[in-house]
Amino acid sequence: MSRQHAEHGASGRPAGSTTIRTIADELGVHPSTVSRALREDESRKISAATRARVLATAEALGFRPNPVASSLRTKKTRTVGLLIPRLADVVLARMFEGAEDRARQLGYQAITTSTRDEPGSERKLAEGLLERRVDGLILATSTTGDPYPDELERRRIPFVLLNRSSRDHPCVRGDDELGGYLATRHLIAKGHRRIALIAGPPELSTTALRRQGFERALAENDLHSDARLVMSSSLEPQGGFDAGTQLLARPDRPTAVFAVNDATAVGVMAAARDLGIRLPDDLAVCGYNDSDLSGLLPIPLTSIALPLRDMGRAAVDLLLARLTGQAAESVVLAPRLIARESTSRPARHP
Amino acid sequence: MSRQHAEHGASGRPAGSTTIRTIADELGVHPSTVSRALREDESRKISAATRARVLATAEALGFRPNPVASSLRTKKTRTVGLLIPRLADVVLARMFEGAEDRARQLGYQAITTSTRDEPGSERKLAEGLLERRVDGLILATSTTGDPYPDELERRRIPFVLLNRSSRDHPCVRGDDELGGYLATRHLIAKGHRRIALIAGPPELSTTALRRQGFERALAENDLHSDARLVMSSSLEPQGGFDAGTQLLARPDRPTAVFAVNDATAVGVMAAARDLGIRLPDDLAVCGYNDSDLSGLLPIPLTSIALPLRDMGRAAVDLLLARLTGQAAESVVLAPRLIARESTSRPARHP
DNA sequence: AGCGATAGTGCAAACGATTGCCCGACCCCG
DNA sequence: CGGGGTCGGGCAATCGTTTGCACTATCGCT
């Protein structure tokens, strides 16, 4: 209440100037009493009257509890670490937004770092977060052979996987097998029989499962899977462009392409353009993720939509469940096909 | 050294099990000695011999200092808060990556939250970060009338602005006036005389300055700025589409459009397509930011490139300079025009 | 030889919150 | 009136690190 405090306008005193002790002195009670009064939970050890007084002067003094002190004592930081491959990837960014949002709702802070897909950086960065004493980790980075989740398990460090699964660690992901199936079935329904797959990198669960769905759809329709029509690639547009250029230069080129993400699908479209192949008449293309660009391309792109934001949210929920020792069931969310112009024409067989 | 420690494999003991005190006991010295030995800086108050011994057993015991305890004592968290409008925006995400990277290099942790462009959320989220005791803030969210930076200044809270400037607060940004000028001059050089501007929201320094550059280029070439060819818009593709649809439906429609970002430029291209206007012959389009999509569109988009990652880095450097009380000069980085097919044809005047 | 400087450590008090334990007051009831 | 129970709150230790201060050798210098 002194004059020096009055300077700090709208937002009260500078953060940290008033502590639990200031309040205690003001009221002539013990700091521990203040502490208990401030946290509801404490099994009714505080009279309603003093609690009210504490709350009132806390408010009046603009008290902001110091989470650092609290963390030191409780050994909980109310912080979760989120590791993702690249932030500039729209898909991951959206999951991040969901996660960050949900974490904040629950009184947690999400802290995120991107591994840039550099080898070994997943582990290094995760350890960095652990040194900062995050309560748990969300990994959106793991690959199929990745030993790191196993190690975390052994070390009893709470974590969940996001988007990409590995072994049977708790994971929140889309149903990629189903997504691949839906995409391919859609193309088959349009009459396509020579369907290529831009498969992405093989060591990711996402791409591997989309491929399985692709093959299941082919098999169900008595189409043989032609290994020459399945191309590994990066997940960047350039990868789609390179693979697409090879595929489309073949004499018996495919009439449809399923690309495991939108970025490579865009690359394929660019390759087609350079080869003078017109969409959607001469070639159908289906992507994955339904990034916000899909609908705005000159030829709007058919794609598989995933509830990305919900996935981020669910990952946080799952992790927090693990933190409180509850049973943590993996979550698999359903994808949805969004049909657009890029697959609008029936196949024209040569 | 006991057996229970041996279980934890590759990464040493569980984080937090060995403290400075463990080491002190092991060596028969006082904890304060260990503390001093571990931090180089300490003005040579420790003999090389004991330092070596401390370092050795710290290593052997897998000691990881607890930053929470350290923060409590020093009142520094080595953490900076970064506020950005939307993470799913490629431009911002790239700046974020730069910032996060640089922060880590310097022993800091960047923690990021996105405001989703919701009104009032900048302030609310920033205060949340401050309650978490971040050492400083990087705001990529401020608008021209925004009172929040002024308030932070009054409260003596260290911060810098990123991308968008406000008053003369310390800021790292691209030279948007120059960028707007370069884009427009490029279009003029192609022979265009009726050039429209998709201006974005007027309350951002970025868009306002790009517009100023646009008008300077026109004035230098004795072209009058036609208010009917300047359209406010959102920064989303939809905004470009709407504005573009209006502009291009005019009988005396422009032969070129400068859109203040790539997303709206894509929207304009979509509008042109719907109206049967062909690019690049009937219409030239120039965007801004050179997002990685620009080069992959069916008609690759001419755009203005900014060193986004460097901007993120520079913002961290600037903030840290302020934190250590050094002079903090704002940084303005130069943009670069990347000419592509969307502006490849000379203007054809009706 | 004497004396001040200095290097190297130890000591203990912080930092701000949490929490197990204890204690006094009061109530209820036989 | 006494005993057990409950309620409300105080006490002090604790989390792990940092840092001002005090102390003791050792060293250099006159």
Side-chain angles (χ1 to χ4, degrees):
Chain A
M1 300 286 115
S2 56
R3 300 211 28 247
Q4 64 189 345
H5 281 157
E7 299 171 10
H8 292 281
S11 172
R13 293 94 202 128
S17 67
T18 68
T19 76
I20 227 173
R21 172 136 187 203
T22 324
I23 302 179
D25 290 351
E26 186 84 4
L27 258 50
V29 301
H30 195 270
S32 64
T33 304
V34 176
S35 171
R36 288 193 252 257
L38 289 172
R39 267 167 310 100
E40 304 291 327
D41 61 286
E42 192 65 36
S43 42
R44 61 194 166 305
K45 295 277 289 177
I46 289 294
S47 71
T50 45
R51 166 164 295 161
R53 286 167 59 215
V54 168
L55 260 42
T57 73
E59 170 74 16
L61 271 61
F63 172 70
R64 293 285 174 274
N66 185 334
V68 176
S70 171
S71 295
L72 179 58
R73 176 67 224 245
T74 62
K75 294 181 179 302
K76 305 252 161 289
T77 54
R78 295 187 78 79
T79 283
V80 301
L82 177 47
L83 244 65
I84 69 184
R86 286 161 308 131
L87 249 158
D89 183 309
V90 193
V91 176
L92 300 166
R94 225 178 273 288
M95 292 193 300
F96 169 72
E97 282 192 349
E100 199 251 314
D101 205 58
R102 184 87 182 113
R104 191 176 34 251
Q105 277 177 20
L106 301 173
Y108 278 72
Q109 174 74 49
I111 87 183
T112 304
T113 48
S114 68
T115 62
R116 307 280 201 81
D117 281 322
E118 288 158 12
S121 77
E122 173 193 45
R123 189 198 162 85
K124 201 180 65 193
L125 294 178
E127 293 297 320
L129 291 174
L130 291 172
E131 284 182 18
R132 289 236 167 217
R133 303 302 195 268
V134 296
D135 291 341
L137 290 173
I138 298 175
L139 303 181
T141 46
S142 63
T143 54
T144 45
D146 191 355
Y148 193 56
D150 293 333
E151 179 188 332
L152 290 174
E153 192 75 51
R154 274 201 311 280
R155 290 163 62 194
R156 299 272 146 75
I157 292 172
F159 74 97
V160 301
L161 304 181
L162 177 56
N163 194 32
R164 303 174 181 173
S165 62
S166 173
R167 317 239 197 280
D168 49 356
H169 296 294
C171 180
V172 173
R173 62 184 185 87
D175 190 337
D176 291 306
E177 200 274 346
L178 178 56
Y181 176 80
L182 291 176
T184 312
R185 197 182 62 179
H186 171 70
L187 294 171
I188 294 173
K190 290 288 179 181
H192 296 281
R193 310 195 63 78
R194 291 189 56 73
I195 305 175
L197 174 70
I198 309 287
E203 71 274 17
L204 305 181
S205 71
T206 45
T207 52
L209 286 169
R210 288 169 202 174
R211 177 178 180 162
Q212 285 180 26
F214 167 79
E215 279 165 357
R216 175 161 65 96
L218 291 184
E220 274 186 11
N221 290 275
D222 299 323
L223 298 173
H224 66 290
S225 165
D226 183 341
R228 289 164 305 180
L229 295 184
V230 174
M231 308 277 294
S232 290
S233 69
S234 79
L235 287 176
E236 311 298 315
Q238 188 66 48
F241 182 85
D242 294 342
T245 302
Q246 280 190 55
L247 277 171
L248 298 175
R250 299 169 56 87
D252 56 343
R253 66 162 201 255
T255 63
V257 175
F258 167 39
V260 292
N261 73 350
D262 284 356
T264 51
V266 168
V268 171
M269 292 169 94
R273 179 199 60 205
D274 285 3
L275 292 170
I277 299 172
R278 290 166 316 151
L279 268 67
D281 300 275
D282 298 338
L283 182 72
V285 175
C286 177
Y288 208 105
N289 284 335
D290 192 39
S291 51
D292 50 6
L293 229 111
S294 317
L296 285 148
L297 293 169
I299 314 293
L301 178 66
T302 294
S303 193
I304 304 287
L306 244 45
L308 298 170
R309 205 160 262 140
D310 292 337
M311 287 168 62
R313 287 199 164 81
V316 169
D317 286 337
L318 187 58
L319 179 57
L320 295 191
R322 282 198 90 175
L323 285 180
T324 59
Q326 299 166 39
E329 293 286 325
S330 287
V331 177
V332 179
L333 296 164
R336 210 157 44 88
L337 176 85
I338 313 283
R340 297 205 183 84
E341 197 181 333
S342 72
T343 60
S344 58
R345 301 282 191 283
R348 300 196 302 188
H349 295 284
Chain B
M1 298 284 112
S2 56
R3 299 216 20 253
Q4 63 190 343
H5 280 156
E7 298 170 12
H8 292 280
S11 173
R13 293 93 200 130
S17 68
T18 69
T19 75
I20 230 174
R21 173 137 187 203
T22 324
I23 302 179
D25 291 349
E26 185 85 6
L27 258 50
V29 300
H30 195 270
S32 64
T33 304
V34 176
S35 171
R36 287 191 255 256
L38 289 171
R39 269 167 307 102
E40 304 290 328
D41 62 284
E42 191 64 37
S43 41
R44 63 197 163 300
K45 296 277 287 175
I46 288 291
S47 72
T50 46
R51 166 163 296 160
R53 287 167 57 215
V54 168
L55 259 43
T57 74
E59 171 73 15
L61 271 61
F63 172 69
R64 293 285 174 274
N66 185 333
V68 175
S70 170
S71 295
L72 179 57
R73 177 67 226 247
T74 61
K75 295 178 178 303
K76 304 252 162 291
T77 53
R78 294 188 78 79
T79 283
V80 301
L82 176 48
L83 244 66
I84 69 185
R86 284 160 311 131
L87 248 160
D89 183 310
V90 194
V91 176
L92 301 165
R94 225 177 272 287
M95 293 194 299
F96 169 72
E97 282 192 349
E100 201 250 314
D101 204 58
R102 184 90 182 111
R104 191 175 36 249
Q105 277 178 22
L106 300 173
Y108 278 72
Q109 174 74 50
I111 86 184
T112 305
T113 47
S114 68
T115 61
R116 307 279 201 82
D117 282 322
E118 288 157 12
S121 78
E122 174 193 45
R123 187 198 164 85
K124 200 180 66 192
L125 294 178
E127 293 298 320
L129 291 175
L130 290 173
E131 284 181 19
R132 289 236 167 215
R133 302 303 196 267
V134 296
D135 291 341
L137 290 173
I138 297 175
L139 302 181
T141 45
S142 62
T143 54
T144 45
D146 191 354
Y148 193 57
D150 294 333
E151 178 188 334
L152 290 176
E153 192 75 52
R154 275 200 311 279
R155 289 162 62 192
R156 298 273 144 76
I157 293 172
F159 75 97
V160 300
L161 303 181
L162 176 56
N163 194 30
R164 303 175 181 172
S165 62
S166 174
R167 316 241 199 279
D168 50 358
H169 295 295
C171 180
V172 173
R173 63 184 185 88
D175 189 338
D176 290 306
E177 200 275 346
L178 178 57
Y181 175 80
L182 291 176
T184 311
R185 198 182 61 178
H186 172 71
L187 293 171
I188 294 172
K190 290 287 180 182
H192 295 282
R193 310 196 62 79
R194 290 190 57 73
I195 305 176
L197 175 70
I198 310 286
E203 71 274 16
L204 304 181
S205 72
T206 46
T207 54
L209 286 170
R210 287 168 202 173
R211 176 178 181 162
Q212 286 179 25
F214 168 78
E215 279 165 356
R216 176 161 67 95
L218 290 185
E220 274 187 10
N221 290 274
D222 299 323
L223 298 174
H224 65 289
S225 165
D226 184 341
R228 288 164 305 179
L229 294 185
V230 175
M231 309 277 296
S232 289
S233 70
S234 79
L235 287 176
E236 309 298 315
Q238 189 64 47
F241 182 85
D242 294 342
T245 302
Q246 281 190 54
L247 277 171
L248 298 175
R250 299 169 56 87
D252 56 344
R253 67 162 200 255
T255 63
V257 175
F258 168 38
V260 293
N261 73 349
D262 284 355
T264 52
V266 168
V268 170
M269 292 168 95
R273 178 199 61 206
D274 286 1
L275 292 168
I277 299 172
R278 289 167 316 151
L279 268 68
D281 301 274
D282 298 337
L283 182 72
V285 175
C286 178
Y288 208 105
N289 285 337
D290 191 40
S291 52
D292 51 4
L293 228 111
S294 317
L296 286 149
L297 292 169
I299 314 294
L301 178 65
T302 294
S303 192
I304 304 287
L306 244 46
L308 298 169
R309 205 160 259 141
D310 293 337
M311 287 169 62
R313 288 197 163 83
V316 170
D317 286 337
L318 188 59
L319 178 59
L320 263 43
R322 282 198 90 175
L323 285 179
T324 59
Q326 299 166 40
E329 294 286 325
S330 285
V331 177
V332 179
L333 295 164
R336 209 157 45 87
L337 176 85
I338 313 283
R340 296 203 183 83
E341 196 181 334
S342 72
T343 59
S344 58
R345 300 282 191 284
R348 298 195 305 187
H349 295 283

